[in-house]
Amino acid sequence: MAVPARTCGASWPGPVRTAHPWPGRGPRPFPDPRGPASGPARPLLLLLPPLLLLPLLTAPGASAYSFPQQHTMQYWARRLEQEIDGVMRIFGGVQQLREIYKDNRNLFEVQENEPQKLVEKVAGDIESLLDRKVQALKRLADAAENFQKAHRWQDNIKEEDIMYYDAKADAELDDPEGEDVERGTKTSTLRLDFMEDPNFKNKVNYSYTAVQIPTDIYKGSTVILNELNWTEALENVFIENRRQDPTLLWQVFGSATGVTRYYPATPWRAPKKIDLYDVRRRPWYIQGASSPKDMVIIVDVSGSVSGLTLKLMKTSVCEMLDTLSDDDYVNVASFNEKAQPVSCFTHLVQANVRNKKVFKEAVQGMVAKGTTGYKAGFEYAFDQLQNSNITRANCNKMIMMFTDGGEDRVQDVFEKYNWPNRTVRVFTFSVGQHNYDVTPLQWMACTNKGYYFEIPSIGAIRINTQEYLDVLGRPMVLAGKEAKQVQWTNVYEDALGLGLVVTGTLPVFNLTQDGPGEKKNQLILGVMGIDVALNDIKRLTPNYTLGANGYVFAIDLNGYVLLHPNLKPQTTNFREPVTLDFLDAELEDENKEEIRRSMIDGNKGHKQIRTLVKSLDERYIDEVIRNYTWVPIRSTNYSLGLVLPPYSTFYLQANLSDQILQVKLPISKLKDFEFLLPSSFESEGHVFIAPREYCKDLNASDNNTEFLKNFIELMEKVTPDSKQCNNFLLHNLILDTGITQQLVERVWRDQDLNTYSLLAVFAATDGGITRVFPNKAAEDWTENPEPFHASFYRRSLDNHGYVFKPPHQDSLLRPLELENDTVGVLVSTAVELSLGRRTLRPAVVGVKLDLEAWAEKFKVLASNRTHQDQPQKPPFSAQQCGPNSHCEMDCEVNNEDLLCVLIDDGGFLVLSNQNHQWDQVGRFFSEVDANLMLALYNNSFYTRKESYDYQAACAPQPPGNLGAAPRGVFVPTIADFLNLAWWTSAAAWSLFQQLLYGLIYHSWFQADPAEAEGSPETRESSCVMKQTQYYFGSVNASYNAIIDCGNCSRLFHAQRLTNTNLLFVVAEKPLCSQCEAGRLLQKETHCPADGPEQCELVQRPRYRRGPHICFDYNATEDTSDCGRGASFPPSLGVLVSLQLLLLLGLPPRPQPQVHSFAASRRL
């Protein structure tokens, strides 16, 4: 079987060759003489008649024994099957448990899951939940527009005139590094008291709002103070919204000036490094502030770009990329005399996290050389935007050019590609300190509906790479009510600790009339947002009625999941949304691709498919049947799906009405409750109860003993029909307590477990009970007390027969310690119950085998003994073999020459006849015998499945030069100091500015972006891990083969054991270690390239749809405001004087502020 090529961590099989299977009882085939170095006598063997070969087919080191014939090994396999089945029939109690359920038929009802009705009801409930948030959003947006319209601008406003709660005030007053990172006084800051609120997972104050202002914005500026003044009125609207809907979480207004006002008030979560949070860079703000974008970024890398200027450009491009969301498409190119993409992407690609990372890494490799050629850069950009053969946003189209200056206006290019319609906006960025005339750059932007920006130093990067959003917002503002549509975001991490959320967004427009002609204002004021926690949406979905393997999921128009049991990001980054594709949350196949497409298109549907699922512990793959049903969630961009296995069509609901609910006593007085009490454990077995939310007042605990204690104490006070409890969960728990106790009474209590070398017997149920017998066995019970989260439980439901689960062993950890016979192997099977025509699987039962005792038993069962033989120590054989007699080897007598093992369907060792391998039980078999495992794989006993975990967490990588903030400063050389051009270009002034920022924002220069904005406790970063699982292949028959490796060749036999997940393998032990075989890898490995090659994946983009609306054009748009900058050449005398001041260490006069949209917000 060929091993497919992979891009990350692929392990290639070595030169192992296998012969064809040989059925029958004849002599085994000899190794292929064409194999490696077989010696001079090897070809002569081919000339001998077959009969003369028989005496030679004996095992090395045991001349009187031959390798077992196929019928012998099939006989051993049958004995193993019979032994396993016999033990499970006696102790498992499957049949007895069926009878117990039928005997108690009056205590429960069988309910049906109707997929279509279920999914439509849940979709309707989610729609209602979100609609309440939409109404609150609209009230806020309308109020904000009216408040701002009525506000009178104040030129002379002062900080002490405005009273507000500065969310960062406490952190600033107690700055750990003793740095004065904020200007202004604290006299205007309110001091508030807070109370803990579990809904927000935070301390809050419901009487006030809080204000957060980015670190790099001066909070005492006139624009900011006026913004604080008029937004204060929003406080009462926030409070009224919460009165109408107490379930509302964060209500936020993100202003286009950078101010964030949110309710209820809570202190800002200050990171240990500098706080880089800016609301305008949050995923929800970006999505609400403009329509989707097709963006081409072109960077001037001509020789005139100095080292510092090029560094500023690289940082600016990275910051620009951070303003894009998954609804946008982008490409980045560099140009001098000719243009070329900086990365492997040859066309526009989706601006998702992984693609942006490729761009950011590629940008760092740009090198300045050659001459400036604007024409080459713009022609490349227009060609990219005109390519209609690729997936793209098809809304706003723009070109962002970063340059240090030039004279060419390339009017002919614009006439050819963009005029007269001007469908592509051009934004130009003059980067660095220089004496070039910037008029051509201004002209390019102004004649193409764009804007001109200047980035003279580091401090201007963040603000000027996001201001373009205001220009894109113009058509949206001018569209008026048509553009006032609520959009729901991707999943992302809340900055205030709420966890994973989605946010409803609504743009807020400036309704004032601007100018003497009462022209309509076209500025966007900001975005209003209301958070909805994913946990609140999950509460609307059915949990325990769907069974352990049923679930609800939801996806957006990008195919990203917002609900899915596999959505479990190990680490999150405030700067990035959580984007897990549905096809990455599950194991991808064609059927799921079809389902995903239908859901994105907003269709209803139902489909039964056969698919692969990964086990909960991610060690196994099962082939299963699943029913998918899906419907759109109206008024949103989401679609909801329901997945049910066929056996979860029906479920049990306890009906304890007659003899229980009529008794108005605490639940602790009810029948069967006594079997939950620890006092009953010694006789009835230990009971673990699933940590579910049975009642509102039940205190949760990770310790199951403590949780059970809390549960019992609460039940002393609660009646069975209490309104504060979930009667379905509570009654089913009590029902299953009694049913499993009857299993103890009828089956387990009278059996001697030691006779069959069992450590424990157990039963687990859908109702949340796990009963382990005897009580002492609970000390070594390591399975999850929630059956729905236990791998053995879920796998048993999906597989027929007996599922073996050896103890998990990591290859990096020490082997198992076989002391006091406490190491066991779980064997479990589902209990299938048929009631009329309804079939369901409400429980799983099983045993725990004593590993060491069963390893001895395994050797006996795979030997030439008869059942009547008493155990005897080797050397023992049913036949006496001498020089003149011929016998077959077996797994007991000849364990020095014959390897016999049981391997499970994941390729993990379960039992071995080699005593030295007992401590390796649970390890992937390739770590035990790489040569043999590879042969099993190559002979199709196993199939490999490779997938990628995009939610993994890895240890921090060494610091690099990527990220939003620069990590070092440009150091001029001696040649620079001696070069007059360097001085006249004002690079020295730029250097001084950078050093000045370094002094003020010392930690920024060394901060990792995730660390700077994230939690102080963050120690790991997100990464991609490659996972490899093995599962049974297509071979079901008994199979003999040879591992051909010259003089080191080995014979082996493999056979599946019926009604189990085991493979029985008998093989010659290796004669030598000269045959090097490739080792199959099962261990999860880190992919340094972040998963599959992105350059290949973008050639096969997954289906998606953008938002239904697009606002990229309005005939009344006024494009006259397109940026201004200083275009006069600096005086040589002034520059020389400046340098002297720098050399003397005197502080220069502050530079005039770079023009930005903030200046145009004066009303």
Side-chain angles (χ1 to χ4, degrees), residues 884-927:
N884 299 320
S885 60
H886 178 74
C887 300
E888 294 181 2
M889 290 188 290
D890 67 33
C891 299
E892 182 187 23
V893 175
N894 309 101
N895 61 356
E896 293 184 1
D897 304 297
L898 201 63
L899 172 67
C900 303
V901 292
L902 290 178
I903 312 172
D904 69 15
D905 56 330
F908 297 97
L909 180 62
V910 176
L911 289 175
S912 172
N913 73 330
Q914 305 297 310
N915 293 19
H916 69 276
Q917 292 180 352
W918 292 354
D919 62 357
Q920 299 184 67
V921 165
R923 287 195 171 179
F924 186 57
F925 191 59
S926 187
E927 299 169 14

Side-chain angles (χ1 to χ4, degrees), residues 532-829:
V532 178
L534 287 195
N535 286 335
D536 290 342
I537 300 178
K538 288 178 184 177
R539 291 190 186 99
L540 301 176
T541 65
N543 290 324
Y544 303 104
T545 59
L546 303 181
N549 290 316
Y551 57 91
V552 171
F553 71 98
I555 67 173
D556 63 16
L557 294 179
N558 280 301
Y560 299 146
V561 298
L562 69 144
L563 288 181
H564 199 285
N566 294 335
L567 179 62
K568 303 172 185 175
Q570 300 300 309
T571 178
T572 51
N573 185 337
F574 288 141
R575 295 167 65 91
E576 299 169 351
V578 179
T579 52
L580 178 66
D581 196 283
F582 169 65
L583 297 178
D584 295 322
E586 306 193 0
L587 292 177
E588 182 177 357
D589 59 36
E590 291 182 0
N591 286 316
K592 290 176 184 175
E593 287 182 15
E594 181 182 327
I595 291 169
R596 178 181 176 276
R597 176 182 286 265
S598 179
M599 293 179 72
I600 290 174
D601 287 339
N603 300 323
K604 294 182 178 181
H606 175 84
K607 189 179 183 69
Q608 184 177 88
I609 66 173
R610 181 175 293 275
T611 186
L612 299 178
V613 297
K614 198 179 299 183
S615 67
L616 200 62
D617 56 13
E618 299 182 330
R619 285 159 61 87
Y620 299 93
I621 295 287
D622 290 312
E623 187 175 9
V624 301
I625 294 176
R626 293 288 188 263
N627 293 305
Y628 283 75
T629 308
W630 60 95
V631 297
I633 302 175
R634 292 187 295 272
S635 304
T636 73
N637 293 331
Y638 303 138
S639 184
L640 188 77
L642 171 68
V643 180
L644 272 182
Y647 53 77
S648 291
T649 302
F650 301 98
Y651 63 93
L652 299 185
Q653 180 172 348
N655 178 17
L656 310 179
S657 55
D658 295 339
Q659 67 273 43
I660 293 181
L661 295 183
Q662 293 175 359
V663 181
K664 299 299 181 181
L665 295 172
I667 290 179
S668 59
K669 305 300 181 183
L670 302 179
K671 180 186 177 183
D672 295 333
F673 185 85
E674 61 181 291
F675 301 120
L676 279 176
L677 303 177
S679 58
S680 70
F681 287 177
E682 198 59 41
S683 61
E684 311 299 332
H686 192 101
V687 174
F688 298 91
I689 66 170
R692 300 173 180 175
E693 194 174 343
Y694 300 99
C695 299
K696 293 178 182 177
D697 295 335
L698 178 59
N699 294 325
S701 174
D702 292 333
N703 184 299
N704 200 258
T705 301
E706 183 178 342
F707 181 74
L708 179 60
K709 178 184 175 183
N710 297 341
F711 177 80
I712 292 171
E713 289 177 353
L714 184 62
M715 294 304 105
E716 295 283 352
K717 311 169 187 176
V718 174
T719 58
D721 57 349
S722 171
K723 300 299 182 184
Q724 67 159 307
C725 294
N726 184 321
N727 287 335
F728 173 80
L729 293 182
L730 194 56
H731 295 177
N732 274 30
L733 182 78
I734 297 172
L735 171 69
D736 287 355
T737 300
I739 284 179
T740 55
Q741 186 277 332
Q742 292 180 48
L743 183 64
V744 176
E745 192 175 297
R746 296 190 190 186
V747 182
W748 295 347
R749 192 181 296 156
D750 297 331
Q751 298 290 348
D752 182 7
L753 303 185
N754 293 329
T755 303
Y756 289 86
S757 305
L758 303 181
L759 297 175
V761 288
F762 61 89
T765 71
D766 279 359
I769 291 291
T770 301
R771 189 180 292 275
V772 180
F773 185 88
N775 183 39
K776 65 178 182 179
E779 298 174 5
D780 301 312
W781 188 259
T782 58
E783 303 301 320
N784 197 311
E786 170 56 84
F788 284 15
H789 296 163
S791 184
F792 82 88
Y793 192 87
R794 294 172 67 160
R795 291 205 71 212
S796 297
L797 294 176
D798 273 333
N799 290 275
H800 293 283
Y802 308 123
V803 178
F804 281 68
K805 179 179 178 288
H808 175 63
Q809 277 210 77
D810 192 303
S811 59
L812 300 179
L813 302 179
R814 62 183 181 181
L816 292 173
E817 296 180 0
L818 298 175
E819 297 179 2
N820 303 321
D821 296 331
T822 57
V823 177
V825 176
L826 288 190
V827 188
S828 56
T829 187

